[in-house]
Amino acid sequence: MSEIDHFIPGRSTKLKVPLERYLQSLPDNVVQAYVAATTTPGELVLDALAERGTILLTAAARGRRGIAGNFNPINTLLVEGLLTLPPPDEIDAATTRLGDSPKRGVPLREHISSLYASTCHACSQPVTVDLFLWDGEADKPVEKYYHCPHCATDGQFPVQEDDLATLDRIDRQGVHYWYLLERLAQPHQPERKLAQELLELYTPRNLYALTDISMKIETLFSGSPPHSALQLILLACLDTCSKLSASPLPRPTALRLHPPSRFVEQNVWHAFEEAYRQVRSLSPPAPLALSPRLDELVSEEKGQAVVINAPLRRLASMLPPASVSLVVTAPRSYYRPFWTLSYLWSGWLWGREKTALFRHLLRRKVMGWSWYRKSLSAALRSLHRPLRAQGKMVFILEAADLTHITNLIVAAVGADFRLETILYQAQDIHPPKEAMRGVEGAYRLVFARDERPDHRLQPPSVEVLTQALQESALRAATEMLRERGEALHFSWLHTAIYQRWSRDDLLRQTLMLEKEVSTTDFLEEQMEAALQEGLKTNTLDLLPDGSCEDEMGCLWWLRGKGYPPRPLGDRVEEAVCQALREGAEVAHEPLRDSIYARFPGLFTPGPGVVEECLRSYGVYDEASGHWQLRTEEESHGLVRERDEALTALVKLGQRFGYQVSVRGRRLQELLTAPDGSSQRRPPKGMDVAWEEEGEPCHLFAFRQTTALADILGDTAPELGEGRRYIAISDRRLDLLRFRMENEVLLRRALAQGEWEFIKLRHLRTLARREKLDLRDLSQILGLEPITESPEAQLPLFS
């Protein structure tokens, strides 16, 4: 077994499962890496808060046994149902049978489709409406969307009287309504009023149609293999056919769910067919061998996995001591609306027995992050018993904000786990507009059981702990900035500080004072105070991200430090080039992962930089999925290109009448004319200088990479008053633009030095001209030179 000390980017998948928008992403390649590194074949892997079957599939593929548990029956349906989907032809047969089943003398699909029947406004032929747009205040549809199969009319049109008459024929609180209400709550239960409110999330027509489908599924398929597949399809419809489906998700703290003033009513049968196609596409080549009971998997080693619908504490109590080698999961963020919707959908699918699992959540008026943290901590504490002494607990999150991460860390430490590793990569390349705001991103948190002696009998004083937290935080922030060589937004500093606090045992000490202070608030206060102290003592600085220096600072940097001698961007570019040189042809993921492995801990490259470097230095073959080094990057090609560029600069300078000096013996023979040469050498870092009366007036550096620290950094030589140019290979331009957009220190250094860029192709063109004027040089300056403007191109075609 080994430890993973570097960030592994998640592999995106195009396959989306039902309720995808409510679930935490869980990339299978990341799970696979942690399972392989921390367990051996035959060992038990536990997904303690399972939402999807990724972990069980990965564990089985690696010869491990997997356990997935969740108190929410909706989540366990998603896990177990997707893992045991029957073959596509069986799903086809089941849905066909369901659609053909009789309802009021016609097949069910025809009966439901008739509820959305209308007339084409163009040809007056019958059509089936795909969706209605409702005015919630008027409580009626006002527009409809359809495609006419007769005249091909397609679009959105006003609702007609016949459409309203069809709606009026549906009883708003008929048998189907009371059937569902009884499945959710009895008249005397406190949840009865909530159940009535939740049924209002569906139009009477959709409530009726969805109830018809659910009753048919139970009547025809209960206990048969296709049953869970049809439940998954129905579950997707319960989401997409509600009044909330086309609106932004409710806020996380929403106690009650209210439809928007305007909402979309989906055609239920069309939605069912779409969900059927989605679920069918998820059918695995070979369903996982699930054990019916936990003891069969654990003790008798029968099957590959088991799915348990139970709270974590009860699941942990069912497991033998020291039986689990790895706990790996994606803990969901605090999001109350999903629990409320799960209550509704659980009652719809299974009745009141399953809704009882949500009563403790529904009856709490006050929840929030404090409740979330304490509840999670109590649940995680129960894992000590089944987890082996050397076992790990890994949280994999693809999209988490600082509040979520802070509460996860504090909950785990409060459950006597020690934070070993925290890895982070932002989702967005654009920083926040405020200094103390974070950027949502992907996290990998690794915890181990905290076996250190307990010091709770002698907790530290608040004053002593305050000073220790602030000193540790400021030290972590300054070291992070210095070692990465980048101006960073707050999320990076937050990550470094929590890593240092864990190493210094300050998180556990803070939790000893939880009766005196609010733990997360106290920690955040000390973090902010430490950074503010850094600003006051001229240790830290805030830089604006935009081009206007008057903008509010949002990126943290070291006070008085200019461009760093070795910024992380340079190191990433070098690592990518080296990795491509080491392999003739390399598959994308192994190549990308090998590059990330060169940047452990807090040195994770920012989003997109590795990929941009790969495109700059490599060529990707879509058919094979392999990268290889560009032919232009071969050593002989680089030498030839450099000689060509510098030769052009030398000859242009001589033609313009300057004295020219060069660095390096290879170009000395070009300085043949006595009046065109100089005995001086260009300043360090510069390749060619054009001089007038013994003073350099134009200085040129040719670059085949975007590493510019030798001429931009604090240790760069004095270049005098001459104009400064960087001639650069054209294939490096996209990478240069990317880095300039993302690295404020690079932009600032280029602006302060008044550097101007020259693209190599324009330099070549200028060198080939018969007649030259010094003004021609100005036409090719910049990443967007005048010569590329449409006006400049017109003479070429006149």
PDB file of all heavy atoms in Angstrom, residues 34 62 80 133 218 245 266 272 277 301 322 475 483 552 555 563 653 674 694 724 741 787:
ATOM      1  N   TYR A  34      -7.348   5.787  -5.209  1.00  0.00           N
ATOM      2  CA  TYR A  34      -7.291   5.657  -3.745  1.00  0.00           C
ATOM      3  C   TYR A  34      -7.556   4.222  -3.302  1.00  0.00           C
ATOM      4  O   TYR A  34      -6.942   3.750  -2.341  1.00  0.00           O
ATOM      5  CB  TYR A  34      -8.276   6.625  -3.094  1.00  0.00           C
ATOM      6  CG  TYR A  34      -7.723   8.031  -3.016  1.00  0.00           C
ATOM      7  CD1 TYR A  34      -8.030   8.983  -3.983  1.00  0.00           C
ATOM      8  CD2 TYR A  34      -6.873   8.414  -1.986  1.00  0.00           C
ATOM      9  CE1 TYR A  34      -7.520  10.274  -3.932  1.00  0.00           C
ATOM     10  CE2 TYR A  34      -6.347   9.695  -1.921  1.00  0.00           C
ATOM     11  CZ  TYR A  34      -6.673  10.621  -2.893  1.00  0.00           C
ATOM     12  OH  TYR A  34      -6.144  11.887  -2.828  1.00  0.00           O
ATOM     13  N   ARG A  62     -11.381  -3.939  -8.828  1.00  0.00           N
ATOM     14  CA  ARG A  62     -10.046  -4.118  -8.250  1.00  0.00           C
ATOM     15  C   ARG A  62      -9.962  -5.331  -7.333  1.00  0.00           C
ATOM     16  O   ARG A  62      -8.962  -5.507  -6.639  1.00  0.00           O
ATOM     17  CB  ARG A  62      -9.657  -2.856  -7.470  1.00  0.00           C
ATOM     18  CG  ARG A  62      -9.317  -1.670  -8.362  1.00  0.00           C
ATOM     19  CD  ARG A  62      -7.892  -1.795  -8.838  1.00  0.00           C
ATOM     20  NE  ARG A  62      -7.543  -0.774  -9.817  1.00  0.00           N
ATOM     21  CZ  ARG A  62      -6.311  -0.598 -10.264  1.00  0.00           C
ATOM     22  NH1 ARG A  62      -5.340  -1.371  -9.821  1.00  0.00           N
ATOM     23  NH2 ARG A  62      -6.038   0.319 -11.169  1.00  0.00           N
ATOM     24  N   GLU A  80     -28.257   0.946  -5.754  1.00  0.00           N
ATOM     25  CA  GLU A  80     -28.557  -0.461  -6.033  1.00  0.00           C
ATOM     26  C   GLU A  80     -29.245  -0.638  -7.380  1.00  0.00           C
ATOM     27  O   GLU A  80     -28.933  -1.567  -8.137  1.00  0.00           O
ATOM     28  CB  GLU A  80     -29.441  -1.021  -4.918  1.00  0.00           C
ATOM     29  CG  GLU A  80     -29.706  -2.512  -5.041  1.00  0.00           C
ATOM     30  CD  GLU A  80     -30.377  -3.070  -3.808  1.00  0.00           C
ATOM     31  OE1 GLU A  80     -30.735  -2.299  -2.899  1.00  0.00           O
ATOM     32  OE2 GLU A  80     -30.546  -4.312  -3.752  1.00  0.00           O
ATOM     33  N   LEU A 133     -46.392  26.276 -20.489  1.00  0.00           N
ATOM     34  CA  LEU A 133     -45.833  27.298 -19.608  1.00  0.00           C
ATOM     35  C   LEU A 133     -46.977  27.885 -18.800  1.00  0.00           C
ATOM     36  O   LEU A 133     -47.950  28.405 -19.363  1.00  0.00           O
ATOM     37  CB  LEU A 133     -45.145  28.389 -20.419  1.00  0.00           C
ATOM     38  CG  LEU A 133     -44.524  29.533 -19.607  1.00  0.00           C
ATOM     39  CD1 LEU A 133     -43.403  29.012 -18.708  1.00  0.00           C
ATOM     40  CD2 LEU A 133     -43.988  30.617 -20.537  1.00  0.00           C
ATOM     41  N   GLU A 218     -46.337  -0.815  -9.703  1.00  0.00           N
ATOM     42  CA  GLU A 218     -46.481  -1.668  -8.518  1.00  0.00           C
ATOM     43  C   GLU A 218     -47.362  -2.867  -8.813  1.00  0.00           C
ATOM     44  O   GLU A 218     -47.103  -3.987  -8.343  1.00  0.00           O
ATOM     45  CB  GLU A 218     -47.065  -0.863  -7.358  1.00  0.00           C
ATOM     46  CG  GLU A 218     -46.142   0.221  -6.822  1.00  0.00           C
ATOM     47  CD  GLU A 218     -44.784  -0.341  -6.435  1.00  0.00           C
ATOM     48  OE1 GLU A 218     -44.735  -1.315  -5.668  1.00  0.00           O
ATOM     49  OE2 GLU A 218     -43.775   0.210  -6.923  1.00  0.00           O
ATOM     50  N   SER A 245     -38.783  21.948 -11.842  1.00  0.00           N
ATOM     51  CA  SER A 245     -37.788  21.308 -12.717  1.00  0.00           C
ATOM     52  C   SER A 245     -36.997  22.295 -13.566  1.00  0.00           C
ATOM     53  O   SER A 245     -35.794  22.136 -13.749  1.00  0.00           O
ATOM     54  CB  SER A 245     -38.468  20.282 -13.629  1.00  0.00           C
ATOM     55  OG  SER A 245     -39.387  20.925 -14.493  1.00  0.00           O
ATOM     56  N   GLN A 266     -44.229  19.635 -17.855  1.00  0.00           N
ATOM     57  CA  GLN A 266     -43.772  18.678 -18.853  1.00  0.00           C
ATOM     58  C   GLN A 266     -44.871  17.677 -19.198  1.00  0.00           C
ATOM     59  O   GLN A 266     -45.708  17.325 -18.351  1.00  0.00           O
ATOM     60  CB  GLN A 266     -42.563  17.905 -18.321  1.00  0.00           C
ATOM     61  CG  GLN A 266     -41.351  18.750 -17.999  1.00  0.00           C
ATOM     62  CD  GLN A 266     -40.544  19.078 -19.231  1.00  0.00           C
ATOM     63  OE1 GLN A 266     -40.826  18.607 -20.334  1.00  0.00           O
ATOM     64  NE2 GLN A 266     -39.527  19.914 -19.054  1.00  0.00           N
ATOM     65  N   PHE A 272     -41.310  10.389 -19.422  1.00  0.00           N
ATOM     66  CA  PHE A 272     -41.061   8.984 -19.089  1.00  0.00           C
ATOM     67  C   PHE A 272     -40.217   8.315 -20.178  1.00  0.00           C
ATOM     68  O   PHE A 272     -39.285   7.565 -19.879  1.00  0.00           O
ATOM     69  CB  PHE A 272     -42.388   8.242 -18.919  1.00  0.00           C
ATOM     70  CG  PHE A 272     -42.234   6.843 -18.410  1.00  0.00           C
ATOM     71  CD1 PHE A 272     -42.155   6.594 -17.044  1.00  0.00           C
ATOM     72  CD2 PHE A 272     -42.160   5.764 -19.277  1.00  0.00           C
ATOM     73  CE1 PHE A 272     -41.998   5.304 -16.560  1.00  0.00           C
ATOM     74  CE2 PHE A 272     -42.009   4.474 -18.807  1.00  0.00           C
ATOM     75  CZ  PHE A 272     -41.923   4.244 -17.444  1.00  0.00           C
ATOM     76  N   ARG A 277     -34.883   6.208 -21.857  1.00  0.00           N
ATOM     77  CA  ARG A 277     -33.680   6.164 -22.690  1.00  0.00           C
ATOM     78  C   ARG A 277     -32.429   6.409 -21.842  1.00  0.00           C
ATOM     79  O   ARG A 277     -31.377   5.795 -22.076  1.00  0.00           O
ATOM     80  CB  ARG A 277     -33.793   7.194 -23.819  1.00  0.00           C
ATOM     81  CG  ARG A 277     -34.781   6.798 -24.907  1.00  0.00           C
ATOM     82  CD  ARG A 277     -34.714   7.741 -26.100  1.00  0.00           C
ATOM     83  NE  ARG A 277     -35.310   9.025 -25.772  1.00  0.00           N
ATOM     84  CZ  ARG A 277     -36.599   9.322 -25.979  1.00  0.00           C
ATOM     85  NH1 ARG A 277     -37.420   8.422 -26.483  1.00  0.00           N
ATOM     86  NH2 ARG A 277     -37.066  10.523 -25.672  1.00  0.00           N
ATOM     87  N   GLU A 301     -18.003 -13.883   2.643  1.00  0.00           N
ATOM     88  CA  GLU A 301     -17.385 -13.398   1.414  1.00  0.00           C
ATOM     89  C   GLU A 301     -18.145 -13.849   0.162  1.00  0.00           C
ATOM     90  O   GLU A 301     -17.566 -14.250  -0.837  1.00  0.00           O
ATOM     91  CB  GLU A 301     -15.914 -13.826   1.333  1.00  0.00           C
ATOM     92  CG  GLU A 301     -15.080 -13.296   2.488  1.00  0.00           C
ATOM     93  CD  GLU A 301     -13.608 -13.564   2.313  1.00  0.00           C
ATOM     94  OE1 GLU A 301     -13.217 -14.004   1.233  1.00  0.00           O
ATOM     95  OE2 GLU A 301     -12.842 -13.316   3.261  1.00  0.00           O
ATOM     96  N   ALA A 322     -12.701  -3.703  13.208  1.00  0.00           N
ATOM     97  CA  ALA A 322     -11.499  -3.723  12.365  1.00  0.00           C
ATOM     98  C   ALA A 322     -11.694  -4.524  11.080  1.00  0.00           C
ATOM     99  O   ALA A 322     -10.805  -5.249  10.642  1.00  0.00           O
ATOM    100  CB  ALA A 322     -10.316  -4.275  13.154  1.00  0.00           C
ATOM    101  N   ARG A 475       2.344  31.856   9.006  1.00  0.00           N
ATOM    102  CA  ARG A 475       3.496  31.110   8.521  1.00  0.00           C
ATOM    103  C   ARG A 475       3.100  30.225   7.335  1.00  0.00           C
ATOM    104  O   ARG A 475       3.819  30.144   6.337  1.00  0.00           O
ATOM    105  CB  ARG A 475       4.071  30.266   9.664  1.00  0.00           C
ATOM    106  CG  ARG A 475       5.387  29.575   9.312  1.00  0.00           C
ATOM    107  CD  ARG A 475       6.117  29.093  10.564  1.00  0.00           C
ATOM    108  NE  ARG A 475       5.293  28.208  11.379  1.00  0.00           N
ATOM    109  CZ  ARG A 475       4.789  28.521  12.575  1.00  0.00           C
ATOM    110  NH1 ARG A 475       5.012  29.722  13.097  1.00  0.00           N
ATOM    111  NH2 ARG A 475       4.064  27.655  13.254  1.00  0.00           N
ATOM    112  N   GLU A 483       6.748  29.500  -1.907  1.00  0.00           N
ATOM    113  CA  GLU A 483       7.151  28.255  -2.555  1.00  0.00           C
ATOM    114  C   GLU A 483       6.435  28.030  -3.881  1.00  0.00           C
ATOM    115  O   GLU A 483       7.020  27.469  -4.806  1.00  0.00           O
ATOM    116  CB  GLU A 483       6.909  27.083  -1.602  1.00  0.00           C
ATOM    117  CG  GLU A 483       7.835  27.121  -0.379  1.00  0.00           C
ATOM    118  CD  GLU A 483       7.503  26.040   0.630  1.00  0.00           C
ATOM    119  OE1 GLU A 483       6.679  25.154   0.304  1.00  0.00           O
ATOM    120  OE2 GLU A 483       8.060  26.070   1.736  1.00  0.00           O
ATOM    121  N   MET A 552      -9.964  46.810  -6.352  1.00  0.00           N
ATOM    122  CA  MET A 552      -9.777  46.230  -5.035  1.00  0.00           C
ATOM    123  C   MET A 552      -8.942  44.958  -5.141  1.00  0.00           C
ATOM    124  O   MET A 552      -9.123  44.151  -6.052  1.00  0.00           O
ATOM    125  CB  MET A 552     -11.147  45.889  -4.422  1.00  0.00           C
ATOM    126  CG  MET A 552     -11.065  45.329  -3.003  1.00  0.00           C
ATOM    127  SD  MET A 552     -12.702  44.949  -2.335  1.00  0.00           S
ATOM    128  CE  MET A 552     -13.401  46.604  -2.268  1.00  0.00           C
ATOM    129  N   LEU A 555      -6.050  39.139  -4.743  1.00  0.00           N
ATOM    130  CA  LEU A 555      -5.039  38.091  -4.787  1.00  0.00           C
ATOM    131  C   LEU A 555      -3.947  38.402  -3.769  1.00  0.00           C
ATOM    132  O   LEU A 555      -3.468  39.538  -3.669  1.00  0.00           O
ATOM    133  CB  LEU A 555      -4.432  37.985  -6.190  1.00  0.00           C
ATOM    134  CG  LEU A 555      -5.358  37.492  -7.289  1.00  0.00           C
ATOM    135  CD1 LEU A 555      -4.670  37.565  -8.639  1.00  0.00           C
ATOM    136  CD2 LEU A 555      -5.840  36.077  -7.019  1.00  0.00           C
ATOM    137  N   TYR A 563       8.551  39.817  -9.476  1.00  0.00           N
ATOM    138  CA  TYR A 563       8.302  38.567 -10.185  1.00  0.00           C
ATOM    139  C   TYR A 563       9.215  37.482  -9.617  1.00  0.00           C
ATOM    140  O   TYR A 563      10.434  37.693  -9.495  1.00  0.00           O
ATOM    141  CB  TYR A 563       8.552  38.746 -11.681  1.00  0.00           C
ATOM    142  CG  TYR A 563       7.991  37.625 -12.521  1.00  0.00           C
ATOM    143  CD1 TYR A 563       6.617  37.462 -12.656  1.00  0.00           C
ATOM    144  CD2 TYR A 563       8.843  36.733 -13.172  1.00  0.00           C
ATOM    145  CE1 TYR A 563       6.093  36.436 -13.424  1.00  0.00           C
ATOM    146  CE2 TYR A 563       8.323  35.703 -13.944  1.00  0.00           C
ATOM    147  CZ  TYR A 563       6.950  35.552 -14.058  1.00  0.00           C
ATOM    148  OH  TYR A 563       6.431  34.537 -14.810  1.00  0.00           O
ATOM    149  N   GLY A 653      18.596  44.732 -37.773  1.00  0.00           N
ATOM    150  CA  GLY A 653      19.282  45.834 -37.097  1.00  0.00           C
ATOM    151  C   GLY A 653      20.319  46.490 -37.983  1.00  0.00           C
ATOM    152  O   GLY A 653      20.432  47.727 -38.031  1.00  0.00           O
ATOM    153  N   PRO A 674      32.152  46.152 -40.397  1.00  0.00           N
ATOM    154  CA  PRO A 674      32.730  46.857 -39.247  1.00  0.00           C
ATOM    155  C   PRO A 674      31.789  47.907 -38.681  1.00  0.00           C
ATOM    156  O   PRO A 674      31.709  48.095 -37.469  1.00  0.00           O
ATOM    157  CB  PRO A 674      34.002  47.479 -39.811  1.00  0.00           C
ATOM    158  CG  PRO A 674      34.332  46.659 -41.016  1.00  0.00           C
ATOM    159  CD  PRO A 674      33.036  46.220 -41.593  1.00  0.00           C
ATOM    160  N   GLY A 694      26.712  53.937 -29.354  1.00  0.00           N
ATOM    161  CA  GLY A 694      27.237  53.158 -28.250  1.00  0.00           C
ATOM    162  C   GLY A 694      26.238  52.811 -27.172  1.00  0.00           C
ATOM    163  O   GLY A 694      26.587  52.153 -26.183  1.00  0.00           O
ATOM    164  N   ARG A 724      12.266  47.356 -25.097  1.00  0.00           N
ATOM    165  CA  ARG A 724      12.476  45.942 -24.807  1.00  0.00           C
ATOM    166  C   ARG A 724      11.458  45.087 -25.547  1.00  0.00           C
ATOM    167  O   ARG A 724      10.257  45.372 -25.507  1.00  0.00           O
ATOM    168  CB  ARG A 724      12.355  45.699 -23.295  1.00  0.00           C
ATOM    169  CG  ARG A 724      13.290  46.583 -22.493  1.00  0.00           C
ATOM    170  CD  ARG A 724      12.909  46.625 -21.035  1.00  0.00           C
ATOM    171  NE  ARG A 724      13.737  47.593 -20.328  1.00  0.00           N
ATOM    172  CZ  ARG A 724      13.654  47.822 -19.020  1.00  0.00           C
ATOM    173  NH1 ARG A 724      12.793  47.149 -18.287  1.00  0.00           N
ATOM    174  NH2 ARG A 724      14.440  48.725 -18.457  1.00  0.00           N
ATOM    175  N   GLU A 741      -3.342  35.792 -18.732  1.00  0.00           N
ATOM    176  CA  GLU A 741      -4.692  35.980 -18.207  1.00  0.00           C
ATOM    177  C   GLU A 741      -4.790  35.515 -16.758  1.00  0.00           C
ATOM    178  O   GLU A 741      -5.520  36.097 -15.960  1.00  0.00           O
ATOM    179  CB  GLU A 741      -5.705  35.214 -19.065  1.00  0.00           C
ATOM    180  CG  GLU A 741      -7.138  35.355 -18.580  1.00  0.00           C
ATOM    181  CD  GLU A 741      -8.120  34.548 -19.403  1.00  0.00           C
ATOM    182  OE1 GLU A 741      -7.687  33.888 -20.376  1.00  0.00           O
ATOM    183  OE2 GLU A 741      -9.309  34.560 -19.067  1.00  0.00           O
ATOM    184  N   THR A 787      -0.546  44.758 -37.948  1.00  0.00           N
ATOM    185  CA  THR A 787      -0.506  44.064 -39.238  1.00  0.00           C
ATOM    186  C   THR A 787      -1.576  42.988 -39.374  1.00  0.00           C
ATOM    187  O   THR A 787      -1.877  42.555 -40.473  1.00  0.00           O
ATOM    188  CB  THR A 787       0.886  43.445 -39.457  1.00  0.00           C
ATOM    189  OG1 THR A 787       1.008  43.003 -40.804  1.00  0.00           O
ATOM    190  CG2 THR A 787       1.101  42.256 -38.527  1.00  0.00           C
TER     191      THR A 787
END
